[in-house]
Amino acid sequence: MTLSPRQRMFVEVGRKEFVRNGYGSSSIRTIAQEAGVSLSALYYHYKNKQDLLLAILMDGVDTYDSLWEQALRAVGDDPVEQLRAFVRANVEFRTQFPEHGRMIATEIRNLEPEGARLYDERRRTGRQRIRTIIDDGVAAGVFTTKYPDDCRKSILAMTAAIANWYDPNGPDTPAELGERYAEMALNLLCPSEIPGSSAGKKG
Amino acid sequence: MTLSPRQRMFVEVGRKEFVRNGYGSSSIRTIAQEAGVSLSALYYHYKNKQDLLLAILMDGVDTYDSLWEQALRAVGDDPVEQLRAFVRANVEFRTQFPEHGRMIATEIRNLEPEGARLYDERRRTGRQRIRTIIDDGVAAGVFTTKYPDDCRKSILAMTAAIANWYDPNGPDTPAELGERYAEMALNLLCPSEIPGSSAGKKG
């Protein structure tokens, strides 16, 4: 969903405010002030704090989806390459947009039921995509794990956790981390072989 | 740290309240009411909401530590068995005490600096323990991963995420999940061999 420049501003200012204070302690009035507009100007676009929260979370999904869609377009149909590309995109999302991840971790529970439903629906595409990649790999015999669904959840969790410790000024570039976590995700899936890899596997 | 029965009550009631409403929106007055005591009775034990938050988080660490300490006492020095035991204990913590995990995920950021320092210090034992298990396994050549530290973080993250979807009424018992995640954690570490395992590894 494309945001207008003004909506984009509210979403960015609101995200900073929610990440800083939490949804419960944040005020829509403060967000309007920090955006330098009147409260009614904000209400024209987002009818309340809940509406703005949903827009911020949806914007996070859009950012995430465009990263992995772009990454998958750059590789072929091979499940190993697709898996690597998807993991690299997840690492990119967590290292480049840590505030999106923080919003997801702490504020989803503040969505009211209808918003939670819409948000869940929007996330479905990405969830389904990695499921398909793994299932294709299992069907082709290149992933031999007995637990494809737990592996899927684990890959999402281990890349999500990067945001908890990643330091943009630290030694790891996002690209290096992306390669490393792609390799680890493959190991988790028990690959029948890892072409060109130096993962330390025997035989 | 041992809590008195009364402190235990405040910690349990406070945890429920913080998990339900978030720290920012929770009131110490409501917690006292729900515990059926006067505000001053609560203040006698915890001087403010911040102090209670710290006690709740510390209690979570105590619960966690006693689970993995007990699990490790039941196995020998073999890094593979220690790793399995540690992962099983993590799964037990996430399935049996989901509210502890939710507090950690959402409320640590509300600790003031001194509390955050104390909490971090208390968590050090568990963090160091899994680090040592992995390092011992790498030194012994039974784990061949090139990324022991990322594997450590990933194992903690993938077990932590279980709390997001685990359903006590669902098909998986905590014990089954524990075995499964122990096997997955081993796969992540690129074991030189998995004795008695049917992980689907070739060779």
Side-chain angles (χ1 to χ4, degrees), chain A residues 2-12 45-46 52 55:
Chain A
T2 309
L3 300 176
S4 72
R6 182 151 265 215
Q7 285 172 323
R8 163 74 38 214
M9 178 184 69
F10 293 139
V11 161
E12 299 299 342
H45 293 278
Y46 298 108
L52 182 58

Side-chain angles (χ1 to χ4, degrees), chain A residues 13 22 29 52 64 108 114 129 137 143 159 173 203:
Chain A
V13 170
R29 189 176 296 273
L52 182 58
Y64 176 65
I108 282 183
E114 175 62 7
R129 199 66 192 82
F143 305 147
T159 50
T173 68

Side-chain angles (χ1 to χ4, degrees), chain B residues 117-158:
Chain B
R117 196 188 61 73
L118 291 168
Y119 177 73
D120 237 46
E121 202 172 289
R122 185 78 73 92
R123 295 223 295 186
R124 203 171 293 163
T125 327
R127 286 177 167 164
Q128 192 49 48
R129 200 66 191 84
I130 181 172
R131 201 189 294 263
T132 306
I133 294 170
I134 292 175
D135 288 352
D136 287 353
V138 168
V142 293
F143 304 147
T144 69
T145 179
K146 290 188 297 176
Y147 314 118
D149 203 52
D150 289 288
C151 285
R152 179 184 61 81
K153 290 171 188 156
S154 295
I155 290 167
L156 296 176
M158 64 197 242

